[in-house]
Amino acid sequence: MGRKKITVVGAGNVGATVAELLVLKELGDVVLVDIVEGLPQGKGLDLNEMAPVERYDALVTGVNDYDATQASDVVVITSGAPRKPGMSRDDLVEINQKIVSSVTEQVAPRSPNAILVIVANPLDAMCTVAHRVSGFPRERVVGMAGVLDSARMRYFLADALKVSVENITAFVLGGHGDTMVPLPRYSTCAGIPIPELLPAETIAAIVERTRNGGAEIVKLLGTSAWYAPAAATVEMVEAILKDKKKILPCAALLQGEYGLEGLFIGVPVKLGAGGVEQIIEIKLTEDESAALKKSAAAVQELVNLLK
């Protein structure tokens, strides 16, 4: 049994940071793919030269074509145009559909048993593209959104409570965008429900900040975030490769769950060696259910824009 093989498509900020975290955790050897000549090779070599200092044996191979991706266990697709200030995720649909479609056409036949982890935005629509193009079962196409959105909410809650982030759990459902559905009722600090610890107005402000978490970073940096998105992606990859059966909020294809059909939406899933091994349905209040349906409608609008 050799090391696991992980392909990361896109050697930009997110992809390169994903590759870095993957090898630091020694989750497997990484093939880093990018169309820019020299970029994945240079970043791969740099990461390999860091290995003696950080003491990992996982290797990064930087390439401009897809032959080296053959027989990957997991393929992470980060490639796509990033958001710029004033740009919504919707604006990215046409540009990134072409990119994600092209990438999936290359990786799926070479790694027919792989699990695809989609990171490109607009996330939920790009999951649909990858699912359609790959022909993979729904269990093996999953989107990274809820882990990131929940991490942002967890940080905001920990900061408000002045406690360790390790004490905080949080759940964010729905599409990866302005209509996402943070659930304070299902969020806790050391097992204590958040509504028992913070006033309603503070929670409402945190919910709003969570919804706009990506836009807040874009406004500050002039481009999309990469450290937290990369870490969230790697948590998902680790759950898959180590068959952890970890419950994480991910974009999964719903087939009747939550009363929704044929859409990739952020929900709690059990993530393991089979990919999305179970979709967990939690009880929602009328308001929460209405918010999830509103989010689903926004995702459907994006899907309707796909060519």
Side-chain angles (χ1 to χ4, degrees):
M1 290 286 289
R3 288 197 283 264
K4 297 289 189 182
K5 185 173 183 179
I6 310 149
T7 286
V8 178
V9 185
N13 288 333
V14 175
T17 309
V18 167
E20 178 185 4
L21 294 173
L22 289 171
V23 293
L24 281 168
K25 287 174 171 279
E26 289 192 302
L27 292 178
D29 290 334
V30 176
V31 180
L32 186 60
V33 187
D34 201 284
I35 58 171
V36 180
E37 289 187 20
L39 181 66
Q41 292 88 345
K43 291 191 176 183
L45 181 58
D46 197 9
L47 286 167
N48 290 338
E49 289 170 353
M50 183 171 80
V53 180
E54 289 294 336
R55 301 187 181 190
Y56 56 81
D57 288 303
L59 290 170
V60 181
T61 304
V63 294
N64 299 122
D65 61 51
Y66 288 87
D67 288 343
T69 70
Q70 199 87 22
S72 293
D73 296 286
V74 175
V75 176
V76 178
I77 300 178
T78 75
S79 50
R83 285 170 78 190
K84 292 187 169 58
M87 181 188 279
S88 73
R89 289 184 176 90
D90 310 21
D91 297 331
L92 295 176
V93 172
E94 188 175 353
I95 302 167
N96 285 352
Q97 179 183 2
K98 291 175 183 173
I99 295 170
V100 172
S101 181
S102 172
V103 168
T104 307
E105 285 171 1
Q106 296 290 339
V107 297
R110 289 176 170 86
S111 301
N113 298 313
I115 292 166
L116 304 181
V117 178
I118 312 304
V119 185
N121 277 321
L123 190 280
D124 311 279
M126 293 307 106
C127 288
T128 301
V129 172
H131 181 250
R132 288 176 180 174
V133 174
S134 68
F136 285 5
R138 71 165 177 163
E139 292 79 13
R140 292 199 284 118
V141 180
V142 61
M144 191 293 296
V147 178
L148 168 62
D149 297 327
S150 297
R152 285 172 170 156
M153 186 175 179
R154 287 165 67 190
Y155 166 68
F156 300 148
L157 287 168
D159 186 49
L161 289 164
K162 301 304 176 204
V163 299
S164 167
V165 290
E166 293 181 29
N167 282 139
I168 304 293
T169 63
F171 249 124
V172 179
L173 305 185
H176 185 49
D178 306 335
T179 61
M180 69 179 73
V181 188
L183 294 177
R185 234 172 23 97
Y186 281 101
S187 303
T188 65
C189 174
I192 305 163
I194 290 298
E196 293 185 20
L197 298 172
L198 287 172
E201 58 270 21
T202 302
I203 293 173
I206 288 171
V207 164
E208 191 60 24
R209 192 177 180 193
T210 301
R211 284 200 180 107
N212 296 311
E216 183 178 358
I217 299 265
V218 169
K219 188 176 178 182
L220 291 165
L221 290 177
T223 188
S224 299
W226 62 89
Y227 295 119
T233 303
V234 171
E235 182 174 24
M236 290 172 62
V237 174
E238 183 174 30
I240 293 165
L241 293 179
K242 291 185 176 179
D243 194 25
K244 291 175 82 73
K245 315 290 189 194
K246 202 167 188 178
I247 308 298
L248 294 169
C250 304
L253 180 59
L254 301 188
Q255 294 177 337
E257 298 90 354
Y258 292 94
L260 299 170
E261 185 70 44
L263 279 180
F264 277 89
I265 289 284
V267 292
V269 308
K270 183 192 291 182
L271 212 53
V276 177
E277 297 186 353
Q278 182 185 352
I279 291 172
I280 294 164
E281 291 192 73
I282 57 178
K283 291 182 179 177
L284 301 177
T285 66
E286 281 188 25
D287 286 349
E288 290 163 349
S289 185
L292 185 59
K293 283 183 169 57
K294 180 183 176 184
S295 189
V299 171
Q300 185 66 62
E301 285 181 20
L302 289 179
V303 171
N304 291 344
L305 295 175
L306 297 175
K307 299 292 187 288

